[in-house]
Amino acid sequence: MDSPSASGGDEAAIIAILLNPGAAPADKRLAFQRLHACYSSDLLAFLRSRVGTGSMMDVSQTVWLSVWQKIAAKFDGRNFRAWLYQIARHEAINHHRKYKKASTVQLPESLRDYRVPLSNEDEELRRVLEECLGMLDPRSRDVIRARLGGALTNEEIAELFNLSRARLFSLVSETKSTLTKCVKEKLS
Amino acid sequence: MRLISFDMPDAVYEFAPWLEAQIVGLHLAELVAELAAIHHVRTLPAVSVADFLGASAFQLILTQGLKPLPTSSLQQLVSHPYYLLELQERIFTDGGPYWRNVPRSDAIQAACKQSLLMLQDKLTLAESLPATDGQNAASEPEMPWASTLEASAWYQRPWPWVLNLATAAAVFIIVYLSFRVPQNDFGKPEASKLVWTSPEDLSKPASAEQYWQRLATVKRWWFSEKPANKVQLALRMGQLSQGCSVLILQEHRHLPPEAGERLRQKCRDWAKELNGYIVELQKGDADFQEIQKKTDALVIRLSDKLESGMKS
């Protein structure tokens, strides 16, 4: 399958420069920048999901420095994307080992099977929102769950809860603002 | 503060594009956390996302995105949100050209530029990565690889020696400054110097973690001298207030854009509180020791915030 960022042939040309021990250092640096330009956006999105906003940039730097230092010796020249995310995944797991309680990180035999949990900050958001949801009256809670469940249309939700569309709209809007305020207060 | 899940579109036809944008954006984990709270999901998936969705639906996502999926599959993902994390990884490693065209947000593009600048800082010291092409490279969403490389190849540029010279000069300046300035390590500043008021110190290469620690040295600076009277206290508070202004106006390129914005917002709050104390002090009949205590407490609070990377 093609790379999301470049055609296979173009990427191969860039990689070839990085793998060529005889290539001029300036060409290697330029090729490295091109790789970064192609993959950094998705890599940052991936790392943000795994290590949180506060550490995303640091871990990304570690990953790219690792690519720069190891590509000539460790990359087999076949699938750069897979290799890049193998490094990224490894660094994300290292980050979790470092910042989460060691006992909560149970590693399976294959790192590929390891499902990286949410970062501390996202886990905190989940916990706080759950608390705030628990403070709602049951009807508002059920309505917001139905609204954010992705299965029912507004018409179906209104019918299910015996509400007019206008009332449903205002109830959802009020509940969202109550929850936002509650989460904000608890996180600040 | 906004909750990402609350932006979920009402219309079914808008939902797939919205979720695709989340997958390639910076807020997927927040969305997953919120959906996990809303749907009361606490455990990580036991099977792979391919097994969960079925092989054909999974392949469809990789090649054509989420739009061709039946609503029931999208609903499954929303109500079992942890699968979205693995789906993101599989799209990034195995996704087809379709995903190349899903628009990336301004925020993530800005973060990419910042990532390249930080990388250049690190590699410049070690390996002298040319700085001139960095921003252009990062701002190109799609790279015409070979042609771009040919057009800007090192040996084809008009005056390659100028760039060599510029790189050498930059390294020289960094080395020179590091010996000239007494505070030569970001992590070990002079107690008598408020780093906040020194944009050049703030711009020195650092990781995000080091940058937070550098900002947090404000506590050491503040407590390094004890004002003996109102005038001395007013002068010191004035310096701190100036520092707040610099932090509000400074581009915090060592931090992710969102973190930089949060820092600026927090600085505005601190500046407001500090300026309130200054006005109080200027009234003349105020108990300056009382105001000093309040300012001490403010400095401890803000320093703790900075030290924790604004997490506390």
Side-chain angles (χ1 to χ4, degrees), chain A residues 4 6 14 38 130 145 147, chain B residues 10 38 42 94 100 129 145:
Chain A
I14 298 297
C38 279
E130 218 173 70
R145 280 194 172 132
R147 170 65 192 83
Chain B
D10 290 339
I38 288 162
R42 287 186 174 173
D94 304 313
R100 188 191 317 166
L129 206 159
W145 289 73

Side-chain angles (χ1 to χ4, degrees), chain A residues 1 4 6 10 14 17 33-34 36-38 42 48-50 58 61 81 89 115 130 145 147 151 176, chain B residues 6 8 10 26 30 38 42 45 85 88-89 92 94-95 100 104 115 129-130 137 145 149 152 208:
Chain A
M1 203 169 279
D10 292 341
I14 298 297
I17 293 172
Q33 286 180 16
R34 299 301 181 220
H36 182 277
C38 279
D42 289 352
R48 165 61 192 89
S49 297
R50 302 316 192 272
D58 282 348
Q61 298 290 296
R81 264 203 292 177
R89 180 163 240 279
R115 307 207 190 291
E130 218 173 70
R145 280 194 172 132
R147 170 65 192 83
K176 282 179 176 178
Chain B
F6 289 177
M8 194 184 279
D10 290 339
L26 290 174
E30 285 155 82
I38 288 162
R42 287 186 174 173
L85 295 176
Q88 181 195 51
E89 182 175 349
F92 289 160
D94 304 313
R100 188 191 317 166
R104 267 58 171 177
S115 162
L129 206 159
W145 289 73
L149 189 65
S152 53

Side-chain angles (χ1 to χ4, degrees), chain B:
Chain B
M1 147 125 230
R2 73 189 176 100
L3 295 170
I4 306 298
S5 56
F6 289 177
D7 294 339
M8 194 184 279
D10 290 339
V12 174
Y13 68 89
E14 288 176 351
F15 182 69
W18 178 81
L19 192 53
E20 287 177 355
Q22 301 307 318
I23 286 173
V24 299
L26 290 174
H27 299 290
L28 182 69
E30 285 155 82
L31 176 66
V32 169
E34 292 168 23
L35 291 173
I38 288 162
H39 298 294
H40 213 64
V41 182
R42 287 186 174 173
T43 50
L44 294 174
V47 298
S48 73
V49 66
D51 290 342
F52 177 68
L53 290 172
S56 59
F58 179 64
Q59 280 307 318
L60 202 60
I61 293 175
L62 292 183
T63 53
Q64 297 176 49
L66 299 174
K67 294 185 195 90
L69 280 192
T71 314
S72 59
S73 296
L74 290 173
Q75 185 209 340
Q76 275 186 306
L77 282 171
V78 168
S79 52
H80 298 83
Y82 286 113
Y83 283 108
L84 287 168
L85 295 176
E86 192 196 342
L87 183 62
Q88 181 195 51
E89 182 175 349
R90 294 301 303 272
I91 285 167
F92 289 160
T93 53
D94 304 313
Y98 171 87
W99 287 96
R100 188 191 317 166
N101 297 319
V102 174
R104 267 58 171 177
S105 67
D106 291 344
I108 206 163
Q109 287 181 28
C112 288
K113 283 185 190 175
Q114 193 191 1
S115 162
L116 186 61
L117 287 172
M118 288 168 69
L119 205 53
Q120 281 177 330
D121 278 343
K122 284 176 183 162
L123 293 180
T124 298
L125 294 173
E127 314 245 12
S128 296
L129 206 159
T132 45
D133 290 339
Q135 294 201 20
N136 292 338
S139 63
E140 291 166 17
E142 287 195 34
M143 301 303 301
W145 289 73
S147 58
T148 308
L149 189 65
E150 275 170 27
S152 53
W154 165 254
Y155 46 82
Q156 290 180 347
R157 283 186 216 137
W159 301 303
W161 58 271
V162 174
L163 295 177
N164 248 345
L165 201 60
T167 307
V171 171
F172 172 74
I173 289 167
I174 290 167
V175 172
Y176 172 69
L177 284 176
S178 72
F179 282 98
R180 190 181 62 85
V181 180
Q183 194 300 87
N184 61 5
D185 182 329
F186 223 22
K188 296 174 187 170
E190 284 184 320
S192 60
K193 185 176 181 183
L194 176 58
V195 177
W196 289 15
T197 53
S198 171
E200 64 272 22
D201 275 355
L202 291 173
S203 302
K204 280 184 189 171
S207 67
E209 175 63 23
Q210 288 170 324
Y211 192 67
W212 288 119
Q213 298 312 316
R214 193 177 302 182
L215 295 176
T217 57
V218 64
K219 185 161 83 176
R220 204 181 319 173
W221 168 79
W222 177 257
F223 290 102
S224 66
E225 274 182 41
K226 190 168 170 65
N229 54 44
K230 284 180 188 179
V231 175
Q232 284 182 12
L233 179 60
L235 285 170
R236 209 141 171 87
M237 289 170 82
Q239 282 178 281
L240 192 56
S241 177
Q242 278 180 351
C244 284
S245 301
V246 172
L247 291 193
I248 290 165
L249 299 172
Q250 174 86 4
E251 187 190 352
H252 303 287
R253 65 188 183 90
H254 303 304
L255 302 178
E258 289 171 355
E261 193 43 52
R262 273 208 313 279
L263 172 61
R264 273 190 285 276
Q265 188 50 51
K266 211 68 197 161
C267 284
R268 287 188 193 99
D269 295 343
W270 294 330
K272 195 174 165 190
E273 187 175 341
L274 179 66
N275 291 337
Y277 298 150
I278 292 174
V279 169
E280 214 176 308
L281 184 67
Q282 287 168 347
K283 283 181 186 164
D285 57 347
D287 177 351
F288 100 91
Q289 284 178 333
E290 191 54 38
I291 294 173
Q292 177 159 10
K293 272 186 198 166
K294 287 182 190 173
T295 315
D296 287 352
L298 170 66
V299 171
I300 289 169
R301 257 188 293 129
L302 64 85
S303 164
D304 286 349
K305 273 270 181 204
L306 294 167
E307 206 155 15
S308 70
M310 306 283 282
K311 283 171 203 150
S312 64

